Each structure stands twice: as C-alpha cells, then as structure tokens.
Amino acid sequence: MSELTRLTLTAAHEGLAQGHFTATELTQAYLDAIEAAGALNAYVLATPEKALEMAKASDARLASGEAGPLEGIPLGVKDNYAVEGVRTTAGSSILKHFVPPYESTVTANLWRDGAVLLGKLNQDEFAMGSSTETSAFGATVNPWRREGSSAPLVPGGSSGGSAAAVAAHLAAGAAGTDTGGSIRQPAAFTGTVGIKPTYGRCSRWGIIAYASSLDQAGPIARSVNDAALLLRSMAGHDPKDSTSAKLPVPDYEAAVGGSVKGMRIGIPREYRVDGMSGEIASLWDEGAQWLRDAGAEVVEISLPHSKYALPAYYIVALAEASSNLARYDGVRYGERVPGRDIVEMYEKTRADGFGAEVRRRIMIGTYVLSAGYYDAYYVRAQKVRTLIKRDFETVFAAGIDAVLAPATPSPAFGIGEKSGADPVEMYLQDVFTVTLNMAGLPGIAVPAGLSGEGLPLGLQLIGRPFGEEALFSLGQVIEEAAGRFTCPDEWWR
C-alpha cells in the first residue's frame, strides 16, 4: 500500500491543500493499487485516462487557488450511477454495453466540487442482494478474512464493491446507494463508515432505479469525518427529482466532534432478535455505554411494528422493482435477443439479460401487484409501512434524539454460504436496516469492534428526519471509543 493511499480522505484533502503532493500523484497511487487488487473484483471498470485528466485539472485549480471542497480526491462510484460517456451496467448483463449520454446529479455534484473518478464499482445486479454475489461480473471479495483462514468472504451488498474498495484503500471514498441497508450493511462488514441520508436529501436523478420510494444515495468512507465531507457534496435540492428536499445542506463536518451531552438515545427492545450473535449483542451494550460516558442519556424504547418491517419491505421493494424493470425490454436500449415476434423478443431478452435473483424479485413483485392479491399484499404492506413510520415519530416526539442498534445480525459470511436454495436466509441480513428505508430516516453505520474471528462489527445510529448532523456527532463518539479498523494484511496484492 502506498503511503498516499493510507491517508484518510480528510488527510488527503489537507495534504493537497498544503502542496505536500499533487492530485496526479495521489490519483496514480490509487490507480496502481487498483491494478494490483484484481483478486478483490471491487471495480467493474477502471477509468485511468479519465482519472488522470481530472486530476490534472484539479492540480491547475489547486495552483490557482480555485480548489473545490473535494479537489483532487479520487473516488469510486457504484455502477448504478450514470456517468456521462462511461459504461454503466447496474451489475447486469442486460446493460453490459450501456453508455449513458447524461450525468447523475450526485456524481455531477462530486465533479463540481473537484473529485476525481477512478472507475465504476461492483454491486449486486440492480442493487438486489446483500452480498454482491448476484453481479453479472462475479462476486466481490471482502478484503477482510477470518483469522487463520483463507476462505473468501462477502463484502456485503448491494454496495459491496464500494465498501471493499474503501476498506482495501482502492479509493479515498465511494458513492453507494441504500434501498434496504445497501450502504450500512457493507460498511459494517468491511470496517468502514456508511451513511444513508434522509430520503430526499440526495437526488435520485440519474441513478438506475430499484425501488423508487426506498432508494437513496450516500457515501462510504474510512472515517466519520470523511463521510461528512462526502455527504456535504453529494446532497442538495435537485429540480429534476420531484422527491428531492428543498432544504439547505448543513456543514456536516462542523457537526463531527460536537457535544452529545444531554442527547437522549433509544435502545429498541424489539431489535434483540433470535439468532443475533452474542458478540453483536455485547457490542451493542458497549456502544450504549460509550454514549453514556460522553454525556448522552440512554433509555429503552419500543418500536412495536419493527417485527413486520422485513416482510413488508420485501413486498414494497419488489413491487416497485417489477414496475421499474419493465423498461428493460430490448426495444429502447440495453441488450436485445431476437425472437420470432415481439413477445418472444421480450421473453428471450429478459430471460437472458436478468440473473436469477432479479428474475425472482420481478416475479414476486408482479404477483403482489396482480389482480386479487394487490389488497392482500401490497396495500397491507403500505399500511404496515405507515405504522413503522409512526413508531419512530412517537419516540422522537417523546424526546429521543437518535436510536442505537446493531447494523447486522452477524459479521461477514463466506462467499456461497447463504446464496443457496433458500433466499430468505439472505433476506434476513437486512433485519436491522430496512426499517429506516421504510420510514425514510437517516442512518449511519460505524465500525465498533472485531469478532472473535477478527472480523469487523458495526453499530448503527438512526436519526430524526434530516437529522444527519446529530448522527455525525454521535458516530464520532463511537469512532473515538472503538478506534479505526484496517485489514491486518494485504493478501490480494
């Protein structure tokens, strides 16, 4: 690992500003690291020429005193963000040759602020998965391994490529998306920090949709402060997205290190679920004590409808996915498989272009929206969603400032371990994360310890709507108490 790639985003930003190294030198160090890390399969497409061109432009702006907030910082971007002129596939064969002629709003914001594109990062196909095993480009491998074992582990999903790249020092930070935990769960599995902002805080325009009422963009980074810097650039109102919130973007970095004295933190009793690892339960208790020691008040709360969140989420998300993915029919763009008539062309294109998990989710989503089942499944799930949202509103109205919970029910598992015959086993990975998406709330995952096998474990903080600043203050308390976590070796080089 180069000394330059060891730097946090915050330290790299300071080093560039002080002239200790150039953006071109920093970018080249990351490109060299990416080239040496093919075994991780974190990137589906590296863009070295574009990266060096952008770095050169950053050096010119740094020299002229016109540097942006992320000037010269090399980032990876999940492959469901449209980047103009760069292949964008959402991890699917059906889009394997798609090159968008437009730029997503979030990536446009990053380039506006001076960031450098290193390439596109692997993900579960159309963001449908919790392990990055459903990608048409093959699974991404977690840079972490169990102590004494060389068995490959998953990095989580669907933003597994983003999390693996940040953890392995193949990017200073990364843009991910979170529909039911797809930023927070991979962050917890890789010892990185990931934040899903409030729904509407970041524009969804130009992001390939999975479930439109749940999808939200957000960053994965190596520290709480790094995540704050990235979110400040990613967030903002966008007239092209009707769900984008017309609110000013705070200075999130200023909230990092802020006092948490007097904050009331809720511990939901319903989150102590069967099958949760004892290590995670004890870490949860330890995290609560860290917050008490910092001056916060920790109280038990009830979120009674949380137990229905997972099935309700998979009904809502899959129904929206079946509608969103109807556009991939071989007619307008994407791959096309010829048939005898238009119906056969549709059938062959979608059967050949979509992987097994995507086909499964489309079929379930279409079923719950079909005549005779719409009221029984979809309408009922939306009613449960309202009750979940109301649970959070009730505890926030009672004076709770944030909720502390585990991010995942276990540490990272082996590749192939949960992708067998029963998909429900994989879906249960989202048990602690989906409630936030259903309620549209912000949540941050912060590494808080290591398992007995030496794997990262994360805690999750859930905030009030547009209360990301409080999450950064609380997240910093956990980071300072637990320390930061780096892979003990670089076996992939």
Side-chain angles (χ1 to χ4, degrees):
M1 185 195 306
S2 158
E3 289 302 317
L4 291 180
T5 61
R6 287 179 188 272
L7 298 172
T8 62
L9 187 153
T10 303
H13 179 263
E14 291 169 358
L16 286 166
Q18 293 166 11
H20 295 327
F21 46 83
T22 66
T24 300
E25 290 168 340
L26 181 63
T27 299
Q28 189 61 59
Y30 276 108
L31 291 173
D32 292 344
I34 292 166
E35 190 175 358
L40 295 180
N41 198 30
Y43 283 83
V44 295
L45 179 70
T47 55
E49 296 85 2
K50 188 176 183 71
L52 291 171
E53 180 185 321
M54 294 173 82
K56 185 179 178 182
S58 284
D59 283 329
R61 287 191 291 270
L62 285 160
S64 64
E66 299 172 353
L70 293 176
E71 201 65 68
I73 299 296
L75 304 177
V77 173
K78 188 177 179 179
D79 202 30
N80 58 353
Y81 285 85
V83 175
E84 185 178 356
V86 176
R87 189 191 70 189
T88 300
T89 71
S92 180
S93 290
I94 209 162
L95 288 174
K96 62 186 175 187
H97 295 123
F98 176 58
V99 178
Y102 55 91
E103 187 81 37
S104 80
T105 298
V106 166
T107 52
N109 290 349
L110 292 171
W111 316 147
R112 173 203 67 201
D113 284 355
V116 171
L117 172 68
L118 291 168
K120 305 301 291 295
L121 294 160
N122 204 5
Q123 61 168 91
D124 281 297
E125 185 179 7
F126 284 104
M128 298 182 190
S130 303
S131 63
T132 316
E133 292 176 282
T134 70
S135 170
F137 298 92
T140 293
V141 180
N142 194 327
W144 288 81
R145 287 182 167 180
R146 297 183 180 109
E147 287 179 359
S149 171
S150 61
L153 304 178
V154 303
S158 62
S159 306
S162 300
V166 173
H169 299 264
L170 309 180
T177 59
D178 192 311
T179 305
S182 289
I183 286 174
R184 291 159 288 145
Q185 185 247 24
F189 275 9
T190 57
T192 56
V193 176
I195 181 166
K196 182 207 91 71
T198 308
Y199 185 79
R201 175 60 87 183
C202 295
S203 171
R204 291 182 298 108
W205 195 87
I207 298 173
I208 295 172
Y210 165 16
S212 302
S213 74
L214 301 163
D215 297 343
Q216 187 56 205
I220 295 178
R222 287 199 284 273
S223 74
V224 171
N225 200 81
D226 289 1
L229 281 170
L230 284 169
L231 184 59
R232 186 173 62 182
S233 290
M234 295 171 74
H237 177 250
D238 178 12
K240 297 194 292 292
D241 177 2
S242 62
T243 63
S244 172
K246 202 169 187 177
L247 294 171
V249 178
D251 180 358
Y252 294 122
E253 189 182 15
V256 177
S259 174
V260 302
K261 190 167 184 172
M263 284 192 186
R264 298 188 74 220
I265 310 302
I267 305 290
R269 64 175 69 99
E270 292 81 5
Y271 280 39
R272 295 194 182 274
V273 297
D274 293 339
M276 183 170 71
S277 130
E279 292 175 321
I280 287 177
S282 61
L283 187 70
W284 189 10
D285 294 337
E286 191 172 13
Q289 189 57 51
W290 291 335
L291 295 176
R292 284 192 197 95
D293 293 344
E297 179 188 358
V298 179
V299 298
E300 188 177 78
I301 59 169
S302 177
L303 298 170
H305 297 95
S306 293
K307 60 186 175 183
Y308 306 116
L310 200 64
Y313 164 82
Y314 273 101
I315 290 170
V316 172
L318 273 52
E320 293 185 15
S322 80
S323 175
N324 277 327
L325 270 63
R327 70 192 70 174
Y328 305 108
D329 53 13
V331 176
R332 289 167 287 252
Y333 57 90
E335 298 303 295
R336 175 187 295 186
V337 179
R340 288 170 299 180
D341 54 32
I342 194 167
V343 173
E344 188 176 84
M345 186 268 285
Y346 286 162
E347 291 171 346
K348 286 187 171 182
T349 295
R350 289 167 69 80
D352 186 65
F354 292 140
E357 182 61 30
V358 172
R359 293 198 300 271
R360 177 188 289 120
R361 295 192 188 202
I362 290 172
M363 290 172 70
I364 295 171
T366 303
Y367 176 82
V368 301
L369 290 176
S370 60
Y373 299 101
Y374 181 84
D375 289 338
Y377 290 103
Y378 185 71
V379 170
R380 186 172 294 181
Q382 290 288 23
K383 289 178 179 177
V384 170
R385 184 179 192 173
T386 300
L387 294 172
I388 291 167
K389 187 169 183 286
R390 191 177 299 163
D391 286 347
F392 279 105
E393 289 169 348
T394 300
V395 298
F396 290 143
I400 295 297
D401 295 294
V403 175
L404 178 69
T408 61
S410 70
F413 49 88
I415 289 178
E417 203 173 294
K418 296 185 187 294
S419 56
D422 184 6
V424 174
E425 192 176 1
M426 185 72 80
Y427 298 169
L428 288 169
Q429 284 296 309
D430 300 332
V431 66
F432 296 128
T433 52
V434 295
T435 49
L436 279 70
N437 301 80
M438 294 290 272
L441 298 173
I444 189 170
V446 182
L450 296 176
S451 73
E453 296 178 309
L455 297 177
L457 300 173
L459 291 175
Q460 175 182 214
L461 288 153
I462 304 164
R464 296 168 177 254
F466 301 100
E468 290 86 359
E469 288 169 286
L471 297 186
F472 284 121
S473 298
L474 292 162
Q476 183 66 15
V477 170
I478 291 175
E479 183 173 279
E480 288 177 359
R484 292 189 196 141
F485 299 90
T486 304
C487 301
D489 62 56
E490 293 184 20
W491 58 264
W492 59 87
R493 292 179 71 86

